Amino acid sequence: LPLISMLELSGRHLKKLPIPVCALSTLQKLYISGTGITELPEEIEGLQELRILALDFNKLEEVPEALCRLPQLTRLYLGSNRLFGLPAEFCQLKTLRCLWIESNYLYHFPRVLLQMPGLQSLQMGDNRLKTLPNGLPRMRGLRGLWLYGNRFEEFPKPLLRMTQLHILDLDRNKLTEFPDLSHLWRLRLFSYDHNPVEAPPSVADTVIVVGEGAQEFMEAREERRQAIREELGVGLALCLPPEPLPLQ
């Protein structure tokens, strides 16, 4: 077989993944988006060098155990399928850093993910989530968490202990109020658009906020910063030694 590192099958009408593809032992990137496949063969575990696997916009109802035996996989795209959960073996994907599982049928946060502290990016938008597990902070590697389009009516308390997050997206939920988030000092972007909340949350000054009333909040914060800068400027000027007189 030829040494192939990337294979693009997206958009083709496939009922099943062709078995010969699973024999491409040097394959590192496999794109099978929007093909209509409903299942994956056990032979997929033969792709031992695979780094990126795109399976979004298909009709998968479950993730097979064989997929969980890909030792090099770093990015897995499972969005827009028919998944209700993930198998217990999923935590075997020790190298996985990015998981997109948006637009599925997740009513509960897959607890197997709590055993994956190396995961950095988790996209779970447009599912059916109402709560998050208390053990969520065990996902110490998580930097980006997308939870837009779910069914949260209260701000999930476990998020208050996710101090390592850089990005948190809670757009299009049913949140009516926020707790103080100013202690999430690593946060850089917080998005809460299309929630029935009346005011943006308290966040650290380094956070960009996106949502109803966020523009005014950001402008007011910048005005405060400018005033402080000007005050500091005057204070520093008063502390500086006088300019020496020019020599005659």
Side-chain angles (χ1 to χ4, degrees):
L1 289 172
L3 298 178
I4 298 174
S5 64
M6 193 272 281
L7 183 61
E8 174 67 83
L9 296 174
S10 297
R12 302 187 186 189
H13 294 292
L14 302 173
K15 290 185 178 179
K16 293 184 177 180
L17 180 66
I19 299 296
V21 170
C22 302
L24 299 172
S25 59
T26 59
L27 204 61
Q28 295 186 10
K29 302 175 183 179
L30 177 57
Y31 302 95
I32 328 171
S33 304
T35 60
I37 60 173
T38 57
E39 59 183 357
L40 294 168
E42 289 292 311
E43 289 83 354
I44 196 167
E45 70 175 283
L47 300 175
Q48 292 287 291
E49 293 297 318
L50 202 64
R51 266 71 168 171
I52 299 174
L53 177 57
L55 289 163
D56 42 335
F57 296 99
N58 283 301
K59 299 176 182 178
L60 297 173
E61 295 184 3
E62 62 181 13
V63 175
E65 185 182 338
L67 189 151
C68 304
R69 293 195 286 268
L70 298 176
Q72 307 292 336
L73 199 65
T74 60
R75 299 185 186 185
L76 178 58
Y77 301 98
L78 291 167
S80 299
N81 275 282
R82 299 173 179 178
L83 302 172
F84 284 85
L86 295 171
E89 297 80 10
F90 198 80
C91 61
Q92 295 172 14
L93 295 171
K94 301 294 185 186
T95 57
L96 197 65
R97 297 294 175 263
C98 174
L99 173 63
W100 286 34
I101 193 169
E102 76 282 7
S103 301
N104 276 283
Y105 301 115
L106 300 180
Y107 286 84
H108 303 284
F109 187 94
R111 289 188 172 272
V112 67
L113 296 179
L114 303 181
Q115 301 173 51
M116 303 181 72
L119 203 62
Q120 296 174 359
S121 175
L122 180 55
Q123 161 66 279
M124 302 185 78
D126 288 326
N127 275 286
R128 312 285 197 275
L129 301 175
K130 290 184 178 180
T131 60
L132 295 175
N134 286 329
L136 190 68
R138 295 211 296 271
M139 300 183 72
R140 295 181 301 275
L142 211 56
R143 298 294 180 265
L145 180 56
W146 287 264
L147 295 167
Y148 60 81
N150 277 280
R151 297 178 178 176
F152 296 107
E153 296 181 6
E154 295 181 357
F155 187 88
K157 286 186 172 62
L159 291 176
L160 295 173
R161 291 180 285 131
M162 299 293 286
T163 53
Q164 80 283 12
L165 280 180
H166 291 189
I167 298 171
L168 178 57
D169 188 334
L170 283 164
D171 287 354
R172 291 190 285 111
N173 277 282
K174 301 175 182 178
L175 302 172
T176 56
E177 59 182 354
F178 293 116
D180 189 335
L181 304 179
S182 55
H183 67 287
L184 300 179
W185 60 278
R186 284 195 176 96
L187 202 60
R188 293 296 175 265
L189 174 64
F190 178 65
S191 190
Y192 64 92
D193 220 2
H194 300 99
N195 277 282
V197 67
E198 293 183 358
S202 295
V203 292
D205 278 353
T206 48
V207 183
I208 295 171
V209 287
V210 179
E212 188 72 29
Q215 182 71 25
E216 295 84 353
F217 169 80
M218 296 283 284
E219 288 173 358
R221 187 170 72 183
E222 185 52 38
E223 285 177 11
R224 286 199 308 275
R225 281 182 179 172
Q226 184 60 34
I228 291 169
R229 280 195 293 265
E230 289 174 0
E231 284 180 21
L232 285 174
V234 171
L236 284 171
L238 290 172
C239 294
L240 290 172
E243 289 284 326
L245 292 172
L247 295 172
Q248 298 296 326

